[in-house]
Amino acid sequence: MLVPWSAETGNDVACICIPWAGAGAAPFRPWAGLLGDTADVYGVRLAGRESRQTEPPATALGDVVDELVRELTELGAPRVALFGHCSGALLAFELAHALRRSGTAPELAHLAVASQLPPRAVRSAPFHEEQDLLRYVPEAFRNEPEMLEVLLPILTADMKLVSDYARPADAPLGAPLTVVYGGCDDELGAAEVDGWREETTGVTAFHEIAGADHLFSGAAWPALAETVRAALS
């Protein structure tokens, strides 16, 4: 599940990058060079995509979290930073709590999230409409029927993982938290993401990236990586 993207390891922190619904680990490969002075970069490759395309997608969020805790414990990094994008932010948040409960897993150095409502604001909602799912598909693929035939079932499975999401009853985290949103995201802005500050007793920082859409397409993607790098520095 963890894909190492850093050619050379040895940083004190492993940055675990969890993608948005339907995506794999590959988008985070370029981040290795951008974050190389602060963290070793690992992408999360869930079942059903990239080299795991033949595996059935996960059906329970808790199972994914448990597997990641095991892999992070085996990784042996003393500290981890978690980054989650969109629905991946909820997975990163759940993983952060699971690491704290574990007692044997690495220390959580930082939690960073992008393009996601705060856990307390998430409402159970089915994702059946293709139009709703298309916002999670990169624009370059939206008019390619063969690509959509592959992506939409994975998107549906991923969204089902969080469609009945309920925030855990655990106390707030203690790690620093960075919240990022796009200046051109038509569904999320400063007001919508403000509730993330309730999820930690540590310092919470908010960053708007000008010109960025929900998926941080194009030049916004390295800008997002730079924001994460600065947060970990």
Side-chain angles (χ1 to χ4, degrees):
M1 187 177 291
L2 292 180
V3 181
W5 287 132
S6 298
E8 297 183 7
T9 59
N11 283 297
D12 182 53
V13 176
C15 184
I16 312 303
C17 301
I18 305 175
W20 64 97
F28 298 105
R29 185 171 187 169
W31 285 30
L34 297 171
L35 273 68
D37 61 336
T38 57
D40 298 332
V41 175
Y42 293 81
V44 171
R45 179 174 291 157
L46 299 177
R49 65 224 67 199
E50 297 173 350
S51 63
R52 303 184 67 189
Q53 189 172 356
T54 60
E55 300 178 38
T59 58
L61 189 65
D63 292 343
V64 178
V65 170
D66 290 345
E67 184 177 349
L68 282 170
V69 170
R70 287 193 296 270
E71 291 198 23
L72 286 174
T73 302
E74 294 170 0
L75 185 63
R79 300 195 300 153
V80 298
L82 304 179
F83 169 76
H85 189 176
C86 197
S87 62
L90 295 179
L91 179 51
F93 178 72
E94 289 292 314
L95 179 57
H97 280 278
L99 290 175
R100 182 174 64 177
R101 291 192 299 266
S102 169
T104 60
E107 174 191 353
L108 177 63
H110 204 104
L111 174 64
V113 297
S115 298
Q116 178 57 52
L117 287 170
R120 299 170 195 264
V122 174
R123 300 289 182 264
S124 297
F127 289 83
H128 298 309
E129 296 294 332
E130 181 174 308
Q131 190 62 38
D132 291 340
L133 296 175
L134 284 177
R135 72 189 299 258
Y136 303 103
V137 176
E139 189 172 354
F141 299 146
R142 291 177 186 173
N143 294 318
E144 296 188 17
E146 292 182 0
M147 185 63 71
L148 290 178
E149 187 176 353
V150 173
L151 287 176
L152 289 180
I154 300 171
L155 271 167
T156 301
D158 282 0
M159 297 313 297
K160 283 182 178 178
L161 279 179
V162 296
S163 63
D164 59 351
Y165 179 80
R167 183 196 177 278
D170 300 11
L173 299 165
L177 171 63
T178 296
V179 182
V180 191
Y181 57 97
C184 293
D185 190 331
D186 58 4
E187 294 191 21
L188 288 176
E192 286 76 22
V193 300
D194 186 73
W196 274 104
R197 69 176 71 249
E198 301 176 21
E199 300 303 340
T200 185
T201 58
V203 175
T204 303
F206 295 86
H207 295 276
E208 177 184 309
I209 295 182
D213 60 10
H214 192 75
L215 293 183
F216 288 84
S217 305
W221 189 243
L224 176 58
E226 175 56 31
T227 301
V228 174
R229 188 203 67 78
L232 300 184
S233 298

